[in-house]
Amino acid sequence: MLKDIITAYLIVINLVAFFQMAADKSRAKKGMRRVREKVLFLTAAIGGSVGAIAGMSIFRHKTKHMSFVIGMPAILLAHIAIAVIIVILL
């Protein structure tokens, strides 16, 4: 039950992160108001790092910003480390 809830949450938050990258790229092209970088990072930090990295790659967005190029994979590594620790402790 808990595993299903966590899985559903991770799917949803990663889709949100992915589509935030798509929306921000589209808004950038149109000169519209952008998605704030702190929102992109927050979404990644609360579980959407895979979706954010996929969005960066597919939409070629934020790939020249070192804070994203380094920060998003760092968040993903932190998530992996946390998951490993949880598995080991359980």
Side-chain angles (χ1 to χ4, degrees), residues 18-66:
F18 180 81
F19 287 113
Q20 279 180 335
M21 285 292 179
D24 193 47
K25 177 69 175 200
S26 176
R27 292 174 181 185
K29 285 182 174 182
K30 295 175 183 175
M32 297 171 63
R33 189 169 188 202
R34 308 278 301 276
V35 177
R36 293 181 178 194
E37 289 186 356
K38 66 181 177 181
V39 171
L40 298 173
F41 273 109
L42 177 62
T43 306
I46 62 172
S49 57
V50 172
I53 292 168
M56 286 175 59
S57 178
I58 290 170
F59 303 114
R60 296 182 186 173
H61 189 53
K62 301 287 188 186
T63 56
K64 293 183 181 179
H65 294 84
M66 282 300 120

Side-chain angles (χ1 to χ4, degrees), residues 58-88:
I58 290 170
F59 303 114
R60 296 182 186 173
H61 189 53
K62 301 287 188 186
T63 56
K64 293 183 181 179
H65 294 84
M66 282 300 120
S67 61
F68 281 84
V69 171
I70 295 169
M72 292 298 176
I75 293 170
L76 176 58
L77 289 175
H79 289 158
I80 292 169
I82 291 167
V84 168
I85 290 168
I86 290 170
V87 168
I88 289 171

Side-chain angles (χ1 to χ4, degrees), residues 3-14:
K3 182 180 174 184
D4 295 335
I5 293 170
I6 293 170
T7 300
Y9 171 77
L10 289 173
I11 289 169
V12 169
I13 198 66
N14 278 284

